[in-house]
Amino acid sequence: MLRCRVNFEALRFTPQIEALGRKLISTLQRSGEFVVLHLRYEMDMLSFSGCTHGCSDKETEELTRMRYAYPWWKEKEIDSESKRLQGLCPLTPEEIALVLKALGFSKDTLIYIASGEIYGGERRLAALKAAYPNLVRKEKLLSSDELWPFQNHSTQMAALDYMVSIASNVFIPSYDGNMARVVEGHRRYSGFRKTILLDRTKLVELLDHFQGGSLSWDEFSAAVKEAHQYRMGQPTDRRAIPGRPKEEDYFYANPQECVGSSSMGRLRDVS
């Protein structure tokens, strides 16, 4: 389909973004395999979603004030814990550290954080850094002079993260926003590269049981692995609901037409 060729082959970033993105990828690949963690834990994300699990009372108040300051944002009163239990919140950095370990990623795994500024800064990343010391971001791999032209342009900074996400050995989004879905689809188009699609509803349940003491570590880890056995970006048919397009699976996350039924069949046989 022309739509597929345009989405994944014809469209390109500016030469400046492409060059810097390739430098990032080359730097990471020189260290071997690497994982991209799309960590959606920015202040605006938490404020407008109402997800405040793990935040202090002061932080919760700050996030709530930010939401109320925008008159166009209609959803004001939000029950954070209810949303979390429904899987509608991004996992916290502390939760992500436990999930990665449960999935079997070793302590020396090179992890690239694709995100804007993490809410709470280094303090909120402490547990993740302790579990995975080889944690890097573009700000660590590139000089301030190299990043300066893009510094005040969030979409251009995100474009760099997008390029790295496509090239990674494994891609793990902590939330299924637009970028995560498009990266998932692009990686499917590129040969069903490994993308771990976290089942947040199940994970929240398992995390609460583990942290509450009703699950041992071995039980927790086994349950996490079982829950994600078929959530690794393998070939799958996209759900279509006649007359209800808004409830269908997102084309950009699973561009089934772009790979063709014959390719889907062959890849199922070897996956």
Side-chain angles (χ1 to χ4, degrees):
M1 285 178 63
L2 180 60
R3 180 185 186 187
C4 301
R5 297 288 297 275
V6 169
N7 283 344
F8 303 115
E9 295 180 34
L11 291 175
R12 289 286 183 270
F13 295 117
T14 65
Q16 295 86 347
I17 291 174
E18 291 272 347
L20 200 56
R22 285 195 296 270
K23 180 175 181 178
L24 269 174
I25 293 166
S26 176
T27 301
L28 288 160
Q29 289 177 335
R30 282 199 296 271
S31 298
E33 295 190 351
F34 68 97
V35 173
V36 165
L37 173 62
H38 188 221
L39 190 60
R40 293 304 314 273
Y41 209 76
E42 301 99 338
M43 184 177 185
D44 59 345
M45 170 68 202
L46 298 176
S47 175
F48 295 121
S49 67
C51 296
T52 57
H53 181 76
C55 293
S56 67
D57 290 342
K58 183 178 179 180
E59 288 171 331
T60 299
E61 290 172 8
E62 180 181 42
L63 293 169
T64 303
R65 280 197 305 272
M66 181 181 182
R67 185 166 68 251
Y68 274 84
Y70 287 81
W72 51 263
W73 192 257
K74 298 194 182 335
E75 190 180 11
K76 303 293 187 183
E77 293 292 337
I78 300 175
D79 185 334
S80 175
E81 284 307 305
S82 176
K83 287 195 73 170
R84 176 177 176 268
L85 293 174
Q86 295 174 61
L88 299 176
C89 290
L91 297 180
T92 68
E94 296 87 353
E95 290 172 332
I96 281 288
L98 290 171
V99 170
L100 292 177
K101 185 178 177 183
L103 286 168
F105 288 98
S106 62
K107 188 167 186 174
D108 61 354
T109 300
L110 175 59
I111 299 178
Y112 176 94
I113 298 287
S115 77
E117 184 176 351
I118 299 299
Y119 186 60
E122 293 301 307
R123 178 182 60 81
R124 290 313 301 265
L125 286 173
L128 186 56
K129 278 190 172 181
Y132 294 96
N134 294 328
L135 202 66
V136 297
R137 302 182 67 180
K138 53 186 172 294
E139 292 83 359
K140 182 176 180 179
L141 299 175
L142 298 171
S143 70
S144 56
D145 287 342
E146 289 173 310
L147 279 176
W148 179 81
F150 313 102
Q151 199 71 56
N152 295 320
H153 303 278
S154 60
T155 55
Q156 294 180 24
M157 295 286 272
L160 295 171
D161 285 340
Y162 183 92
M163 288 186 65
V164 177
S165 298
I166 299 302
S168 65
N169 298 93
V170 184
F171 175 67
I172 308 173
S174 68
Y175 191 71
D176 55 353
N178 289 333
M179 176 170 160
R181 290 175 176 177
V182 176
V183 169
E184 177 192 347
H186 201 147
R187 290 174 65 84
R188 287 179 183 274
Y189 181 79
S190 302
F192 296 95
R193 308 192 72 180
K194 191 171 185 179
T195 302
I196 302 180
L197 306 170
L198 300 179
D199 183 343
R200 293 187 304 279
T201 305
K202 185 64 176 177
L203 284 173
V204 164
E205 176 189 348
L206 292 173
L207 283 160
D208 286 350
H209 282 306
F210 170 66
Q211 293 176 317
S214 58
L215 277 181
S216 68
W217 173 258
D218 288 344
E219 290 170 331
F220 172 71
S221 180
V224 170
K225 288 174 182 172
E226 182 181 1
H228 294 85
Q229 183 178 359
Y230 301 107
R231 298 179 64 90
M232 300 285 180
Q234 301 101 321
T236 183
D237 292 328
R238 193 172 76 248
R239 183 182 59 174
I241 307 175
R244 292 154 63 189
K246 290 186 178 180
E247 297 178 35
E248 294 182 353
D249 288 341
Y250 197 46
F251 168 84
Y252 294 103
N254 185 11
Q256 184 177 324
E257 299 88 336
C258 299
V259 296
S261 57
S262 59
S263 298
M264 295 272 288
R266 286 197 302 273
L267 282 160
R268 280 198 191 95
D269 291 341
V270 299
S271 62

